[in-house]
Amino acid sequence: MSSKEEESAVKVLAIDPLVILKYWVLRLSQGKTDDFFPDILIVAGLKKTPPLSSGADALQPGEWGVDVVETQSAESFLMAMGWEEKTAGKTIEDVFKVERRKG
């Protein structure tokens, strides 16, 4: 990921699909042209490993981890996080991606 890219991500542990749709509609309704509108990615994976901490808000096995990312380049972001490698061989029951790219 380039140091010039500006990303903002919101982690959501237990997410209602309506939250994603409301976010999407809000961002698209802001009337920005593609030149000024970032790529938006929603990437999610089903947790299958033990929690990383003992905190009450730690993602538990069986819960979905969801990231909403705004970036100047979805392709660069996905390459930097190793999306293809991380999702190889996984099904829609384990992982998914929704994207809105410029142009």
Side-chain angles (χ1 to χ4, degrees):
M1 188 175 343
S2 164
S3 62
K4 294 180 183 178
E5 290 182 333
E6 295 180 13
E7 283 84 13
S8 62
V10 177
K11 285 206 177 240
V12 181
L13 299 180
I15 191 161
D16 180 339
L18 290 177
V19 172
I20 294 172
L21 292 175
K22 287 178 183 178
Y23 168 80
W24 206 274
V25 169
L26 171 69
R27 292 298 283 143
L28 293 176
S29 70
Q30 292 178 339
K32 294 182 179 182
T33 64
D34 271 354
D35 292 342
F36 300 103
F37 201 88
D39 289 348
I40 301 172
L41 298 168
I42 301 171
V43 294
L46 185 62
K47 178 79 168 165
K48 293 189 173 185
T49 57
L52 296 176
S53 76
S54 60
D57 60 348
L59 193 61
Q60 301 295 313
E63 293 181 334
W64 282 89
V66 178
D67 293 311
V68 178
V69 180
E70 293 185 358
T71 179
Q72 292 304 308
S73 172
E75 183 176 354
S76 295
F77 180 86
L78 292 169
M79 285 184 5
M81 72 174 288
W83 177 257
E84 292 300 321
E85 296 81 14
K86 290 180 180 181
T87 60
K90 296 187 178 178
T91 67
I92 191 72
E93 287 87 21
D94 297 324
V95 65
F96 71 88
K97 170 183 67 170
V98 178
E99 55 189 294
R100 191 277 182 192
R101 293 189 187 199
K102 297 184 282 285

